[in-house]
Amino acid sequence: HGSGGTSDSEISVFNSVEPPANFAIIKSAHYDYPNSIIKILSQAAYGTFAFHGNKGQYYNRKTAYRRMGFKRFFDIDQMGLQEYGWGASDREVFLYALQKLRSQKEPFLYHIITMSSHEPFTNVEPYFHNNRYDDIDHALTRGYFNSISYVDKVLEEFVTAARKMSSYLLLWK
């Protein structure tokens, strides 16, 4: 996208708008997200929750998510997680979301942001290594495959655990 980097993708998905190329709209103190699907779901009695392994002030998510209609936004500090490089590990964020899921009433929407799937693809190096990609010479490409391998693994663990917890999710097997 543009000036908002990956946050522009969130703006597009949640608000059905193309963000401006020259300004990170998520950082605006005045934009009220008139097209927000999150607002619509919240007004329809959905529990709307976002989880991010970084600080809530980063890209103004703490404020922007509230304005989009999320009832709760859990950042690294609210979750009480340890920072590894560029935020909490995705596994720890998913485990925290799973704990919340245990007592979650339906209907709901959980938005969980992974940090490992983000360039420069070095966040997982201290705690995860898939030697399957050791022969890739280009460091960024090797890091990408290792990081996405990690995200795949923890996402699979999360979905498997969530399916066991919820009869609704079992229908999607």
Side-chain angles (χ1 to χ4, degrees):
H1 272 51
S3 298
T6 54
S7 75
D8 283 347
S9 298
E10 296 167 65
I11 298 301
S12 293
V13 169
F14 294 144
N15 300 280
S16 296
V17 296
E18 187 70 26
N22 60 350
F23 177 70
I25 196 74
I26 199 166
K27 292 182 178 181
S28 171
H30 305 289
Y31 190 63
D32 69 352
Y33 305 96
N35 296 333
S36 174
I37 187 69
I38 306 305
K39 281 183 184 177
I40 293 167
L41 292 172
S42 290
Q43 291 166 356
Y46 273 71
T48 52
F49 305 91
F51 302 83
H52 193 323
N54 208 327
K55 299 218 180 263
Q57 296 87 342
Y58 190 67
Y59 271 82
N60 197 37
R61 280 187 177 91
K62 190 176 278 190
T63 300
Y65 276 17
R66 181 181 38 78
R67 294 181 81 152
M68 278 185 233
F70 280 100
K71 290 182 181 173
R72 288 291 307 271
F73 172 54
F74 299 94
D75 69 356
I76 189 171
D77 294 331
Q78 283 195 306
M79 292 184 282
L81 301 179
Q82 185 176 348
E83 188 168 344
Y84 292 100
W86 201 27
S89 75
D90 293 339
R91 174 175 276 125
E92 295 300 316
V93 174
F94 279 120
L95 286 172
Y96 186 90
L98 273 173
Q99 286 183 344
K100 292 293 183 189
L101 192 59
R102 292 185 201 288
S103 60
Q104 184 63 55
K105 294 179 182 171
E106 295 183 15
F108 64 91
L109 173 121
Y110 274 27
H111 171 58
I112 306 169
I113 300 173
T114 60
M115 294 294 294
S116 305
S117 56
H118 199 292
E119 197 171 353
F121 309 117
T122 57
N123 293 329
V124 303
E125 288 175 358
Y127 51 86
F128 180 83
H129 178 79
N130 187 334
N131 60 8
R132 183 177 191 177
Y133 308 112
D134 286 349
D135 62 342
I136 298 173
D137 290 331
H138 189 255
L140 185 64
T141 304
R142 183 176 56 251
Y144 169 79
F145 281 112
N146 188 62
S147 295
I148 296 304
S149 175
Y150 169 74
V151 174
D152 266 359
K153 181 176 175 42
V154 297
L155 187 57
E156 177 186 28
E157 292 169 359
F158 174 80
V159 170
T160 299
R163 281 183 166 164
K164 289 178 183 175
M165 290 170 40
S166 172
S167 59
Y168 172 76
L169 290 172
L170 285 172
L171 298 174
W172 295 96
K173 229 177 185 178

